[in-house]
Amino acid sequence: MRKFKQSSRAAAAAASLALVLGAPLAANAADMMDHFWSAKPTGTAWVTGYGECWQSTQGPNDLEPCVKPVPAEFVVRLNFEFDKYRIENVVNDNELARLDDYIADVNATQSREQLTLVGHTDAKGSEAYNDTLGLNRANAVRDYMVSKGIPASDIVSVESRGERDMLPEFDVYSVKQRRVTIRSEVEG
């Protein structure tokens, strides 16, 4: 019996403390939930940091579609056949699908994106040859993006780093060094 009284006293003290401390937290929680489900600007849905589209289940159902933010840098690891640079020479279709998703995100944004494409190669070949090959790969991606609806004027620069700027986690001769980096800045 004595043990029960001590337990109930401790529970009562904890409940009192929770009421005292919890009241401001409950009010703030309600405000946070209201803000959590509000979309800015009014009448639009929003995207989480994980790229998921959310809108309130209780709110309006005529919201404009979600628009994912365009990442500041996007890397496409298009594994080109050896010594090739055309899109049809890409051997990993999953990277083309990622590029298509990126293009759709850029086309859906309300802001005007300024894109820079940088081609990279593995270490096979001379530096001059690899600079040309990297530029040809970046131009192939540029042409592909334009064919998918990106305005040519939004691609402000096409460059090559050739065999410079190697990815340290891969061998310098690895096919994984062959990539095109796309950097995005909002015009303004």
Side-chain angles (χ1 to χ4, degrees):
M1 182 72 145
R2 182 174 171 94
K3 195 174 207 178
F4 174 73
K5 284 183 182 178
Q6 287 175 342
S7 297
S8 61
R9 282 186 193 154
S16 298
L17 186 60
L19 286 174
V20 171
L21 295 177
L25 294 176
N28 288 339
D31 291 340
M32 284 180 9
M33 288 307 290
D34 183 47
H35 178 71
F36 183 74
W37 287 107
S38 63
K40 306 288 183 202
T42 304
T44 60
W46 54 273
V47 178
T48 68
Y50 298 106
E52 299 168 326
C53 181
W54 284 67
Q55 65 186 43
S56 171
T57 57
Q58 304 296 319
N61 57 7
D62 60 344
L63 299 176
E64 293 178 20
C66 266
V67 178
K68 292 181 184 178
V70 176
E73 183 171 280
F74 180 76
V75 177
V76 187
R77 287 198 177 92
L78 300 171
N79 295 347
F80 291 91
E81 295 173 17
F82 180 72
D83 202 29
K84 305 283 183 181
Y85 58 86
R86 298 195 185 282
I87 293 294
E88 51 271 8
N89 301 122
V90 170
V91 297
N92 54 340
D93 292 336
N94 58 333
E95 284 297 297
L96 275 178
R98 282 185 63 240
L99 179 58
D100 288 340
D101 289 344
Y102 176 81
I103 292 168
D105 291 345
V106 171
N107 282 332
T109 60
Q110 308 256 335
S111 60
R112 187 93 187 253
E113 302 291 328
Q114 294 183 327
L115 305 172
T116 299
L117 282 63
V118 182
H120 300 269
T121 66
D122 58 31
K124 294 175 188 159
S126 70
E127 188 173 315
Y129 181 82
N130 283 336
D131 281 343
T132 301
L133 183 58
L135 187 60
N136 287 340
R137 288 176 176 166
N139 276 318
V141 171
R142 177 197 179 282
D143 294 344
Y144 182 78
M145 292 175 76
V146 169
S147 77
K148 296 288 186 173
I150 300 289
S153 60
D154 287 357
I155 301 174
V156 296
S157 179
V158 179
E159 309 166 8
S160 174
R161 295 293 296 153
E163 60 188 65
R164 296 177 301 280
D165 297 338
M166 291 288 179
L167 298 171
E169 64 269 24
F170 300 111
D171 183 76
V172 295
Y173 299 107
S174 171
V175 70
K176 297 192 180 201
Q177 297 290 356
R178 303 172 194 163
R179 65 197 188 279
V180 175
T181 304
I182 303 169
R183 288 190 308 264
S184 173
E185 290 183 29
V186 177
E187 184 180 67

